[in-house]
Amino acid sequence: MQDKSIKKIVLAYSGGLDTSAIIPWLKENYGGCEVVAFVADIGQERSDLEGVEQKALQSGASECHVVDLREEFISEYVYPVLQTGALYEGTYLLGTSMARPIIAKAQVELALKVGADALCHGATGKGNDQVRFETTYTALAPQLKVVAPWREWNLRSREALLDYLKERNIPTTASLEKIYSRDENAWHISTEGGVLESPWNAPNKDCWVWTVDPLEAPDQPEQVTISVEKGRVVAVNGEALTPFGCLDKLNAIGARHGVGRIDIVENRLVGIKSRGCYETPGGTIMVNALRAIEQLVLDRDSFKWREQLGLEMSYVVYDGRWFAPLRKSLQASAEALAEDVNGEVVLQLYKGQVTAIQKKSANSLYSEEFATFGEDEVYDHRHAGGFIRLFSLSSRIRALNEKK
């Protein structure tokens, strides 16, 4: 049942089919309430933002606010996650997951500014995004009510949404031919639906948007130099850039070599498995660069702990718990480890692959003197015997007990 007390709603608006239908639906079902559209610019295709304000107003919104969050998104959300090494289920670089909390936070800020009663999103009742949005809303503004149309309305298909807009003479660029569901930001683009709904179907060329087919990538490898400070990429090929600038440049370089493609079936938080094709070219290069420096500077136990942090952080971010104390605690630990993650890496890109071929750091624990297979004057091999005897002492005691 719709809450008639709600007078003003701020909607997370994309200009796509779902949110275009949500605006008139809210006005019809919430007593003619005022709908304010909020658009987050997090680095999606520029054409998606062209005319988005006019489109929102034509759909019935009283206002439309477009907020540029690109630099903040990469600097304050993506880079911190990179420091932890988080990969959801071993492969997914969390492109959609990291974007939702910053969108929801900025949406809340606008709602408080314009005096809204409620917040609204276009996430379906099957996915993860509803949890990510609403968990953030609750953490930052629990007094605001939440409207989730997909859990209320009887519009259950793309055809129904198109008919709904047509009946109200609301223009849309959506069509039945656009069969894929896509999410795009500066970090990645995801493709779901269509032929991908059967895991037995191989993805076709339409499933990939940013990157060239690795088979059609240049026959000559390309080398890129990455500079890292405290676990953050700060320069590409010797050019100091902002976090978004570094990513933007690496996206272009990686995409032309077919870098950053994955085709996975993942476990959603709600219990449904979903299949998607993800493209993260610049991010894949960054991850390889950071791991290369970590190999030099983190001791064995520190590296093991960083891996544990990454595993835990992947679930925290995927589940939308960005503003929870646990995320802050994990982040603090990762930042402490990253203090020494400084250096320079040369990576070679070739037909979808990224390989670190050179790496150096002032904090490197790698010692050629100790590691050499040649003659050295710093290591006494006889010391290893005592170490092994103590290291295996419990096994020795167990074996002696069994003989008794």
Side-chain angles (χ1 to χ4, degrees), residues 367-379:
S367 168
E368 191 173 342
E369 280 188 301
F370 278 93
T372 182
F373 284 96
E375 185 177 351
D376 69 79
E377 298 180 356
V378 296
Y379 187 81

Side-chain angles (χ1 to χ4, degrees), residues 2 9-30 33-38 55-56 59-61 107 119-124 133 137 147-153 155 160-162 164-165 168 170 172:
Q2 285 78 40
I9 302 176
V10 173
L11 165 68
Y13 180 75
S14 67
L17 179 58
D18 292 9
T19 53
S20 293
I22 285 174
I23 292 176
W25 183 87
L26 288 173
K27 297 183 72 174
E28 291 171 12
N29 290 274
Y30 280 81
C33 67
E34 181 183 350
V35 179
V36 176
F38 163 74
K55 184 184 291 187
S59 298
Q107 183 186 1
L119 300 156
C120 179
H121 61 76
T124 75
F133 275 112
Y137 297 162
V147 180
W150 272 100
R151 301 204 295 262
E152 296 182 27
W153 64 16
L155 302 170
L161 289 168
L162 288 168
Y164 181 85
L165 291 174
R168 288 153 182 79
I170 296 174
T172 179

